[in-house]
């Protein structure tokens, strides 16, 4: 069996050797008492990297978004979300089931809720209406294909929200991909939002963990809600040590993942029966539409998997490919060849 080229997600990245070494020698303590020096160091570093006062180490991106919702909202509050956002569509309904919020989904423009779109759905206070407390943005936007929202567009939506006394949370699971793609500091991407969550465990290669960042007062309350959902950790410094390496060493290399994604998109987009919207390829994600009449996304995923290429089906006709540290330039070429032959076989079996 040949080597697998795993394009399902950047979450499959394994820790680097430097991370494993840092984990083995990390000084630890009980973090629920605030006594883990490595967690404290990671929280200070993460806050600084996105320009916020404080941050909180959480088990996952899903937990970070949930804790943000619990901290911003009361039960019954309305949250404006992008209709394809991870928070709304891929977090097991936690927004309603656990935070008690009512989502108001809007189809954004390449994953972004514009200021004009936001203005058009906000209603004046009235006894009939749930109180709109929060807007959730996502940058890069996963389902839109890793699309990046530029800083001025973020700023406009945040200003529209702020003008109505509404807070903004950014699901920045891949905020460093956005920053690298835009050629700006992550602080600029996060500057206009009230809170931001980002993941250490995706392209940055840490084994576990995400950071929720915001003002000192916000993070103090978030710490309470993290405990409530069972996320208080003890000697978590071993995990935090990998997170520190992720932030210090793994950000700049994301540019390589973006180059590979573009190569992959160009190669796959040129295969008859497959379509890639090149305008949407901004970072390390490529969405592929299967346009062949008698093959769907699930069928194509199965076919390429037989040749060692793994992809995720996202809908009947769409599959997702994600580049990361374990995908080299040669792997991209090989993956394109596997897709090409899978489509050619599909074509031949029709005749
Ligand atoms: N996304 C995962 C899957 O859940 C789809 C992936 O493979 O891309 N926000 C965004 C934008 C995300 O893409 C993800 C993970 C999360 C939040 C949740 O992070 P985790 O998986 O750590 O809970």
């Amino acid at each position: 069996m040949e080597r697998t080229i795993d394009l399902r997600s950047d979450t499959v990245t394994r820790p680097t050797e430097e991370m494993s070494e840092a984990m083995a020698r990390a000084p630890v303590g009980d973090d629920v008492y605030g006594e883990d020096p490595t967690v404290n160091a990671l929280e200070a570093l993460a806050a600084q990297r996105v320009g916020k006062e404080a941050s909180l180490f959480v088990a996952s991106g899903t937990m970070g978004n949930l804790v943000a919702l619990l901290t911003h909202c009361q039960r019954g509050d309305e949250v404006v979300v992008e209709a394809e956002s991870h928070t709304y569509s891929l977090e097991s309904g936690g927004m309603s089931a656990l935070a008690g919020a009512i989502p108001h989904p809007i189809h954004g423009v390449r994953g972004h809720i514009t200021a004009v779109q936001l203005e058009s759905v906000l209603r004046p206070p009235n006894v009939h209406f749930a109180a709109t407390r929060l807007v959730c943005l996502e940058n890069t936007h996963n389902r839109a294909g890793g699309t990046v929202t530029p800083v001025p567009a973020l700023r406009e939506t945040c200003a529209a929200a702020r003008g109505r006394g509404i807070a903004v949370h950014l699901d920045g699971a891949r905020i460093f991909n956005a920053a690298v793609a835009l050629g700006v500091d992550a602080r600029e991407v996060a500057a206009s939002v009230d809170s931001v969550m980002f993941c250490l465990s995706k392209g940055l290669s840490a084994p576990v963990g995400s950071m929720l960042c915001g003002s000192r007062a916000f993070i103090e309350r978030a710490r309470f809600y993290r405990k409530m959902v069972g996320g208080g950790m003890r000697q978590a410094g071993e995990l935090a040590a990998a997170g520190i390496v992720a932030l210090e060493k793994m950000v700049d290399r994301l540019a390589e993942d973006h180059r590979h994604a573009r190569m992959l998109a160009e190669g796959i987009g040129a295969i008859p029966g497959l379509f890639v919207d090149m305008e949407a390829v901004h970072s390390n994600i490529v969405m592929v539409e299967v346009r062949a009449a008698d093959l769907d996304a699930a069928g194509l995923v199965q076919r390429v998997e037989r040749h060692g290429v793994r992809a995720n089906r996202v809908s009947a006709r769409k599959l997702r490919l994600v580049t990361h540290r374990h995908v080299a330039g040669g792997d991209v070429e090989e993956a394109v060849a596997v897709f090409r032959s899978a489509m050619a076989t599909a074509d031949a079996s029709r005749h």
Side-chain angles (χ1 to χ4, degrees):
M1 173 76 192
E2 72 240 69
R3 196 174 79 80
T4 298
I5 302 170
D6 196 342
L7 299 169
R8 286 173 304 168
S9 183
D10 45 10
T11 58
V12 303
T13 45
R14 293 175 296 276
T16 63
E17 228 163 85
E18 196 177 345
M19 287 178 187
S20 304
E21 281 161 21
M23 290 170 79
R25 56 180 155 70
V28 296
D30 190 327
D31 181 50
V32 172
Y33 292 111
E35 290 172 5
D36 188 304
T38 313
V39 170
N40 293 341
L42 171 64
E43 290 182 344
L45 177 66
Q48 181 249 334
R49 288 295 156 98
V50 293
K52 300 294 175 202
E53 281 176 5
S55 91
L56 185 67
F57 187 36
V58 290
S60 65
T62 301
M63 183 184 277
N65 285 333
L66 173 64
V67 168
L69 278 155
L70 285 162
T71 311
H72 282 292
C73 300
Q74 303 282 315
R75 292 188 70 78
D77 283 346
E78 181 183 74
V79 179
V80 178
V81 287
E82 206 284 322
E84 295 281 329
S85 65
H86 199 278
T87 314
Y88 176 57
S89 64
L90 291 165
E91 292 179 9
S92 323
M95 170 182 280
S96 295
L98 303 173
I102 299 182
H104 185 148
I106 302 182
H107 287 279
V109 179
R110 293 212 186 278
H112 177 61
I113 300 172
T114 67
V116 171
Q117 287 180 314
L118 180 62
E119 296 279 8
S120 73
V121 300
L122 293 178
R123 301 173 295 186
N126 178 289
V127 72
H128 297 89
F129 305 149
T132 309
R133 196 72 63 196
L134 186 68
V135 177
C136 287
L137 301 178
E138 185 174 314
N139 199 15
T140 68
H141 194 289
N142 183 344
R143 281 290 183 114
T147 50
V148 175
T149 305
V151 173
L154 288 169
R155 212 182 283 138
E156 279 174 28
T157 302
C158 292
R162 192 150 303 121
R164 306 284 286 263
I166 298 167
V168 180
H169 171 68
L170 176 65
D171 175 346
R174 297 184 179 83
I175 193 174
F176 293 102
N177 293 86
V180 165
L182 290 169
V184 303
D185 195 281
R187 287 182 197 92
E188 286 187 54
V189 181
S192 50
V193 303
D194 298 277
S195 59
V196 53
M197 182 285 292
F198 69 81
C199 296
L200 300 163
S201 57
K202 297 198 162 59
L204 301 185
S205 298
V208 173
S210 294
M211 308 304 301
L212 176 62
C213 315
S215 70
R216 212 170 293 286
F218 176 84
I219 293 301
E220 216 166 281
R221 280 184 287 123
R223 197 174 289 279
F224 167 81
Y225 286 110
R226 182 187 68 172
K227 192 78 181 78
M228 184 187 278
V229 298
M233 295 185 277
R234 302 298 178 174
Q235 285 73 36
E238 292 204 9
L239 296 172
I244 292 173
V245 177
L247 281 174
E248 286 181 340
K249 302 285 172 73
M250 306 304 287
V251 171
D252 293 342
R253 65 153 306 288
L254 295 174
E256 187 182 322
D257 298 344
H258 298 180
R259 274 197 302 278
H260 288 161
R262 185 143 278 274
M263 277 167 58
L264 190 62
E266 278 165 2
I268 288 188
I271 299 172
L274 299 182
F275 173 75
V276 176
D277 177 3
M278 290 303 296
E279 303 280 301
V281 182
H282 298 173
S283 60
N284 69 329
I285 298 180
V286 180
M287 290 290 181
V288 182
E289 198 184 315
V290 186
R291 290 191 167 170
D294 46 7
L295 184 70
D296 61 7
L300 182 56
V301 166
Q302 255 179 20
R303 234 170 240 258
V304 296
E305 183 139 11
R306 274 186 233 132
H307 298 280
V309 174
R310 305 194 75 183
N312 262 341
R313 172 199 174 279
V314 293
S315 67
R317 298 236 138 246
K318 246 195 215 170
L319 55 94
R320 186 187 76 159
L321 307 175
V322 185
T323 53
H324 51 76
R325 197 179 109 244
H326 305 314
V327 180
D331 296 329
V332 171
E333 285 168 21
E334 205 175 316
V336 171
V338 166
F339 270 97
R340 186 176 291 283
S341 90
M343 291 306 288
T345 325
D347 203 41
S349 67
R350 277 198 288 278
H351 300 113

